Amino acid sequence: MKLQVLGCWAPYPIAGEACSGYLVKAHDGHLLLDLGHGVFSKLQEVHHHTDLDAVFISHLHWDHFADLSCLRHALLGSMRQGLEVKRLPLYIPAQPSDLFHMISLWDDAFEITPLEGGLIGDIPVMGEVYASFFPVSHPILTYGISLFKSEKKFVYSGDTGYDESLIEYIQGADTFLCEASLMEEDIHNSKWGHLTSKQAGRLSEKSGVGELILTHFWPDYDLGKLKEEARGSFKGALYTAEQFGIYNV
């Protein structure tokens, strides 16, 4: 599997870039993780929307799903042109109910699977790649995702606060894409369900992660300092996500 970053900012992107969005590629498919502000535009630069196998939305905060509407209209446009486009599988939390209801009406473009009720495991999402969806600690219903192909394991945290119960889901990941929304000086804001980069490093170290990719950055932060704080608690390979960056799992 390969991971390509389409956007890594929160809650708004810096000029010319995008909020959360990640494309996972395997030789037998493409899976899109989150579709925040600006992500659909970046997707078009690297991949055609009709050649996706599934979409996963971690939670219904706008910096993670705003461009789902763009993808819907693009799919419908391709259908109107007579292209052989099927409804795209969409895995999405069932809460908050008002936002989920709005998106549930988009079943003209998506085959929607609601996520709720704890761990959901062993779902084939593309070719030989299987997914498990696990709940994380955030003010609204939010899921992380683990992807498995052969002996490889990739995990994306979604947005989450520090919770060691997550270790069982992250354990042994070859690559962990983890939110790092805060610097240590702002740890008081972790009550809103976010990690400092140091906490992301600590969680990764305790989970035996092979490599850690930090993401979901506040635009005013110095990413070099974020990485430095994570290095204080994590000994493995460490990266800060970059737009269009490609990482091997």
Side-chain angles (χ1 to χ4, degrees):
M1 292 183 286
K2 291 180 182 286
L3 168 71
Q4 184 163 26
V5 175
L6 303 178
C8 57
W9 299 98
Y12 62 91
I14 64 173
E17 297 200 15
C19 286
S20 292
Y22 314 94
L23 185 64
V24 178
K25 310 176 184 181
H27 75 274
D28 47 5
H30 296 82
L31 172 65
L32 188 57
L33 310 178
D34 280 340
L35 255 165
H37 306 287
V39 171
F40 185 72
S41 176
K42 303 307 175 186
L43 173 68
Q44 292 178 89
E45 295 189 44
V46 300
H47 193 73
H48 199 274
H49 62 275
T50 59
D51 194 27
L52 292 170
D53 290 86
V55 176
F56 163 73
I57 301 296
S58 62
H59 65 295
L60 297 179
H61 279 157
W62 291 91
D63 57 326
H64 291 260
F65 85 95
D67 274 17
L68 190 60
S69 174
C70 297
L71 177 57
R72 176 200 176 208
H73 286 293
L75 291 168
L76 293 176
S78 296
M79 292 174 184
R80 285 194 299 271
Q81 293 172 29
L83 301 180
E84 293 186 11
V85 180
K86 297 181 179 179
R87 290 188 304 153
L88 186 61
L90 171 63
Y91 300 90
I92 189 167
Q95 299 291 333
S97 57
D98 57 339
L99 291 173
F100 176 75
H101 175 70
M102 176 187 73
I103 294 168
S104 70
L105 300 178
W106 299 351
D107 59 357
D108 48 2
F110 300 114
E111 182 182 316
I112 300 170
T113 298
L115 303 176
E116 58 184 338
L119 176 67
I120 303 168
D122 297 323
I123 306 298
V125 289
M126 56 174 178
E128 298 178 357
V129 178
Y130 286 76
S132 290
F133 308 102
F134 55 91
V136 299
S137 178
H138 202 53
I140 65 172
L141 182 62
T142 304
Y143 277 83
I145 185 173
S146 298
L147 297 175
F148 305 89
K149 180 176 173 60
S150 301
E151 300 300 317
K152 296 295 183 180
K153 179 180 179 180
F154 165 82
V155 179
Y156 169 45
S157 68
D159 282 8
T160 184
Y162 190 85
D163 185 348
E164 292 196 357
S165 69
L166 298 177
I167 290 174
E168 67 174 296
Y169 306 124
I170 304 166
Q171 192 77 44
D174 297 278
T175 300
F176 183 31
L177 176 65
C178 185
E179 80 122 275
S181 302
L182 302 170
M183 296 187 69
E184 279 299 297
E185 65 189 41
D186 296 319
I187 193 170
H188 57 280
N189 288 319
S190 63
K191 63 184 178 182
W192 300 113
H194 290 293
L195 294 168
T196 68
S197 59
K198 185 174 182 179
Q199 288 176 323
R202 184 183 306 127
L203 191 61
S204 301
E205 187 70 24
K206 290 187 175 185
S207 301
V209 167
E211 67 176 8
L212 170 61
I213 305 170
L214 303 174
T215 192
H216 201 259
F217 307 125
W218 180 258
D220 292 337
Y221 280 157
D222 179 334
L223 301 192
K225 290 182 179 179
L226 273 178
K227 185 176 181 180
E228 181 180 338
E229 290 188 349
R231 175 54 72 200
S233 56
F234 180 67
K235 299 182 179 63
L238 176 63
Y239 307 94
T240 51
E242 297 181 4
Q243 185 173 282
F244 298 134
I246 297 176
Y247 308 85
N248 292 314
V249 179

